[in-house]
Amino acid sequence: MKVVTTRAELARARAEVGSLGLVPTMGYLHEGHLSLVRAARGANDAVAVSIFVNPTQFGEGEDFERYPRDPERDLALLAAEGVDLVWTPTVDDVYPPGSATRVSVSGITDVLEGASRPGHFTGVATVVAILLNATRADRAYFGQKDAQQVLVVRRMVEDLAIPTRIVTVPTFREADGLAMSSRNVYLDETQRAGATALVEALRAACREWTAGVRDGDALRAAMTEVLARQPQARPDYVSVADPDSLAELDTVDPTRGALCSLAVRFGTTRLIDNLLLEPEPAPCGNSAGR
Ligand code: AMP
C-alpha cells in the first residue's frame, strides 16, 4: 500500500495503475467506510482512499478541531483491506496558497443539511471536485448515509462534466441499527443507547408507508413521535422529501417514493440518518390506451 501526501506524489502513483476507484473519507475509519472500500475493490484495477478532514465543509462553532483522528489505525485498517493507494494530503496540498475557487451547487443545497449548515455543501462540492480531478478516479464511492451529499456530488459531477462515475453504497449499521459514523464516538453511554431512536423513527415511517400511508405530515409525525419518547433527543429536522429534488412532500407519489431523513442532537453531538421509501411498481396492464 502506497501512502502519498503531495499532489505530485499522488500523480506519480496514479500513473502506475489502471482503472481507479476512489473512496473519499475524513478518516477515523469504521466498517461503513470499509464497505465502500470493498465495493470499490471488485470494480476497479486499484483502490485509493483519501483521508482528509476538510476544513471548508465545517461551519463556525462546528467540530473541525475536535473531529476524531487516528491516522495510524486508519492505515492499518486500509492495509488489511488490500487498498493500493492512500492519499493523506495536508490542507495546503488540497488548497494550495492562493487557491481561490469554490464549487457551489444551488437548489438542493438550500434544504436539510444545507439549511442547518450554511456553506457545508460548497465545502463538500469543492473538495470532491479537487479529489476527483487530482486522482483521475474512474469511479468514486459515497455512502447513502449522507443521502443529500450523494445528490450534490452527482449534480456537481454532471454539471462540470467530470468523467468519474459516482457509486452509492448502502448505509452500514451497528447490530442495533445505529448508522455507523465517526461522530458516534462523541456519545456517552446513555446517549449511545438513545441514538437508536433515529433508525427506529425511520422504520416507523417505513411501516406506515408499507401500510398505505401517503400523507407527508402523517409520515413525519410517525418519526417525531418515536423521537419524542427519547428525552435526550433534540430533533433538528424531520423530513419526508422527494428523493431527487428534496422538496418536502404534502403527499408522497407512490410511483416516486420519498426520502425520509432526520438530524437529531444528543447533547453537542449531531447525528443524521435516512431511509428511502421505495416506489411501488406501476400496476401491470394499467396503460391508458391500447
Ligand atoms: P466521512 O469520513 O464521514 O466523510 O465519510 C466518508 C464516506 O463514507 C462518505 O461517502 C460517507 O457517506 C460514507 N459513510 C460514512 N458512514 C457510513 C455508513 N455507516 N455506511 C455507509 N457509508 C458511510
Side-chain angles (χ1 to χ4, degrees), residues 261-273:
S261 63
L262 26 79
V264 181
R265 283 179 205 279
F266 288 81
T268 55
T269 305
R270 186 171 175 282
L271 301 179
I272 60 171
D273 201 353

PDB file of all heavy atoms in Angstrom, residues 261-273:
ATOM      1  N   SER A 261     -35.594  11.596   6.081  1.00  0.00           N
ATOM      2  CA  SER A 261     -34.295  11.877   6.686  1.00  0.00           C
ATOM      3  C   SER A 261     -34.473  12.686   7.956  1.00  0.00           C
ATOM      4  O   SER A 261     -35.480  13.379   8.125  1.00  0.00           O
ATOM      5  CB  SER A 261     -33.376  12.596   5.701  1.00  0.00           C
ATOM      6  OG  SER A 261     -33.905  13.842   5.349  1.00  0.00           O
ATOM      7  N   LEU A 262     -33.493  12.576   8.834  1.00  0.00           N
ATOM      8  CA  LEU A 262     -33.550  13.354  10.066  1.00  0.00           C
ATOM      9  C   LEU A 262     -32.162  13.684  10.581  1.00  0.00           C
ATOM     10  O   LEU A 262     -31.182  13.007  10.279  1.00  0.00           O
ATOM     11  CB  LEU A 262     -34.372  12.636  11.148  1.00  0.00           C
ATOM     12  CG  LEU A 262     -34.504  11.139  11.141  1.00  0.00           C
ATOM     13  CD1 LEU A 262     -33.271  10.531  11.713  1.00  0.00           C
ATOM     14  CD2 LEU A 262     -35.713  10.747  11.953  1.00  0.00           C
ATOM     15  N   ALA A 263     -32.140  14.777  11.326  1.00  0.00           N
ATOM     16  CA  ALA A 263     -30.934  15.178  12.053  1.00  0.00           C
ATOM     17  C   ALA A 263     -31.369  15.402  13.485  1.00  0.00           C
ATOM     18  O   ALA A 263     -32.380  16.059  13.734  1.00  0.00           O
ATOM     19  CB  ALA A 263     -30.345  16.454  11.469  1.00  0.00           C
ATOM     20  N   VAL A 264     -30.625  14.816  14.405  1.00  0.00           N
ATOM     21  CA  VAL A 264     -31.022  14.858  15.816  1.00  0.00           C
ATOM     22  C   VAL A 264     -29.785  15.135  16.667  1.00  0.00           C
ATOM     23  O   VAL A 264     -28.735  14.533  16.442  1.00  0.00           O
ATOM     24  CB  VAL A 264     -31.657  13.504  16.247  1.00  0.00           C
ATOM     25  CG1 VAL A 264     -32.096  13.548  17.696  1.00  0.00           C
ATOM     26  CG2 VAL A 264     -32.827  13.142  15.338  1.00  0.00           C
ATOM     27  N   ARG A 265     -29.952  16.052  17.623  1.00  0.00           N
ATOM     28  CA  ARG A 265     -28.845  16.337  18.544  1.00  0.00           C
ATOM     29  C   ARG A 265     -28.985  15.533  19.833  1.00  0.00           C
ATOM     30  O   ARG A 265     -30.089  15.419  20.372  1.00  0.00           O
ATOM     31  CB  ARG A 265     -28.836  17.822  18.911  1.00  0.00           C
ATOM     32  CG  ARG A 265     -28.282  18.691  17.836  1.00  0.00           C
ATOM     33  CD  ARG A 265     -28.310  20.161  18.233  1.00  0.00           C
ATOM     34  NE  ARG A 265     -28.340  20.976  17.039  1.00  0.00           N
ATOM     35  CZ  ARG A 265     -27.266  21.280  16.306  1.00  0.00           C
ATOM     36  NH1 ARG A 265     -26.075  20.852  16.684  1.00  0.00           N
ATOM     37  NH2 ARG A 265     -27.387  21.999  15.204  1.00  0.00           N
ATOM     38  N   PHE A 266     -27.877  14.994  20.278  1.00  0.00           N
ATOM     39  CA  PHE A 266     -27.772  14.393  21.611  1.00  0.00           C
ATOM     40  C   PHE A 266     -26.654  15.175  22.299  1.00  0.00           C
ATOM     41  O   PHE A 266     -25.490  15.005  21.937  1.00  0.00           O
ATOM     42  CB  PHE A 266     -27.397  12.909  21.529  1.00  0.00           C
ATOM     43  CG  PHE A 266     -28.517  12.039  21.032  1.00  0.00           C
ATOM     44  CD1 PHE A 266     -28.780  11.944  19.676  1.00  0.00           C
ATOM     45  CD2 PHE A 266     -29.309  11.331  21.920  1.00  0.00           C
ATOM     46  CE1 PHE A 266     -29.819  11.150  19.207  1.00  0.00           C
ATOM     47  CE2 PHE A 266     -30.350  10.539  21.466  1.00  0.00           C
ATOM     48  CZ  PHE A 266     -30.602  10.447  20.108  1.00  0.00           C
ATOM     49  N   GLY A 267     -27.029  16.064  23.222  1.00  0.00           N
ATOM     50  CA  GLY A 267     -26.007  16.955  23.785  1.00  0.00           C
ATOM     51  C   GLY A 267     -25.427  17.788  22.653  1.00  0.00           C
ATOM     52  O   GLY A 267     -26.158  18.377  21.864  1.00  0.00           O
ATOM     53  N   THR A 268     -24.090  17.785  22.540  1.00  0.00           N
ATOM     54  CA  THR A 268     -23.456  18.593  21.487  1.00  0.00           C
ATOM     55  C   THR A 268     -23.240  17.785  20.207  1.00  0.00           C
ATOM     56  O   THR A 268     -22.700  18.307  19.238  1.00  0.00           O
ATOM     57  CB  THR A 268     -22.088  19.120  21.966  1.00  0.00           C
ATOM     58  OG1 THR A 268     -21.310  17.982  22.377  1.00  0.00           O
ATOM     59  CG2 THR A 268     -22.223  20.083  23.121  1.00  0.00           C
ATOM     60  N   THR A 269     -23.648  16.517  20.209  1.00  0.00           N
ATOM     61  CA  THR A 269     -23.421  15.675  19.038  1.00  0.00           C
ATOM     62  C   THR A 269     -24.638  15.678  18.136  1.00  0.00           C
ATOM     63  O   THR A 269     -25.769  15.508  18.590  1.00  0.00           O
ATOM     64  CB  THR A 269     -23.101  14.230  19.476  1.00  0.00           C
ATOM     65  OG1 THR A 269     -22.005  14.283  20.377  1.00  0.00           O
ATOM     66  CG2 THR A 269     -22.772  13.345  18.284  1.00  0.00           C
ATOM     67  N   ARG A 270     -24.387  15.872  16.837  1.00  0.00           N
ATOM     68  CA  ARG A 270     -25.485  15.928  15.876  1.00  0.00           C
ATOM     69  C   ARG A 270     -25.373  14.708  14.963  1.00  0.00           C
ATOM     70  O   ARG A 270     -24.344  14.515  14.306  1.00  0.00           O
ATOM     71  CB  ARG A 270     -25.368  17.223  15.073  1.00  0.00           C
ATOM     72  CG  ARG A 270     -26.495  17.500  14.131  1.00  0.00           C
ATOM     73  CD  ARG A 270     -26.322  18.906  13.585  1.00  0.00           C
ATOM     74  NE  ARG A 270     -27.324  19.205  12.581  1.00  0.00           N
ATOM     75  CZ  ARG A 270     -27.277  18.776  11.328  1.00  0.00           C
ATOM     76  NH1 ARG A 270     -26.283  18.001  10.929  1.00  0.00           N
ATOM     77  NH2 ARG A 270     -28.229  19.123  10.481  1.00  0.00           N
ATOM     78  N   LEU A 271     -26.426  13.882  14.971  1.00  0.00           N
ATOM     79  CA  LEU A 271     -26.424  12.659  14.161  1.00  0.00           C
ATOM     80  C   LEU A 271     -27.433  12.803  13.026  1.00  0.00           C
ATOM     81  O   LEU A 271     -28.485  13.434  13.196  1.00  0.00           O
ATOM     82  CB  LEU A 271     -26.813  11.449  15.016  1.00  0.00           C
ATOM     83  CG  LEU A 271     -25.933  11.155  16.228  1.00  0.00           C
ATOM     84  CD1 LEU A 271     -26.471   9.933  16.978  1.00  0.00           C
ATOM     85  CD2 LEU A 271     -24.488  10.918  15.819  1.00  0.00           C
ATOM     86  N   ILE A 272     -27.130  12.178  11.877  1.00  0.00           N
ATOM     87  CA  ILE A 272     -28.094  12.150  10.772  1.00  0.00           C
ATOM     88  C   ILE A 272     -28.305  10.708  10.330  1.00  0.00           C
ATOM     89  O   ILE A 272     -27.438   9.844  10.528  1.00  0.00           O
ATOM     90  CB  ILE A 272     -27.648  12.999   9.554  1.00  0.00           C
ATOM     91  CG1 ILE A 272     -26.316  12.513   8.980  1.00  0.00           C
ATOM     92  CG2 ILE A 272     -27.564  14.467   9.939  1.00  0.00           C
ATOM     93  CD1 ILE A 272     -25.946  13.162   7.654  1.00  0.00           C
ATOM     94  N   ASP A 273     -29.475  10.481   9.726  1.00  0.00           N
ATOM     95  CA  ASP A 273     -29.766   9.166   9.161  1.00  0.00           C
ATOM     96  C   ASP A 273     -30.900   9.338   8.151  1.00  0.00           C
ATOM     97  O   ASP A 273     -31.575  10.383   8.134  1.00  0.00           O
ATOM     98  CB  ASP A 273     -30.166   8.173  10.262  1.00  0.00           C
ATOM     99  CG  ASP A 273     -29.997   6.710   9.839  1.00  0.00           C
ATOM    100  OD1 ASP A 273     -29.700   6.440   8.661  1.00  0.00           O
ATOM    101  OD2 ASP A 273     -30.179   5.829  10.718  1.00  0.00           O
TER     102      ASP A 273
END
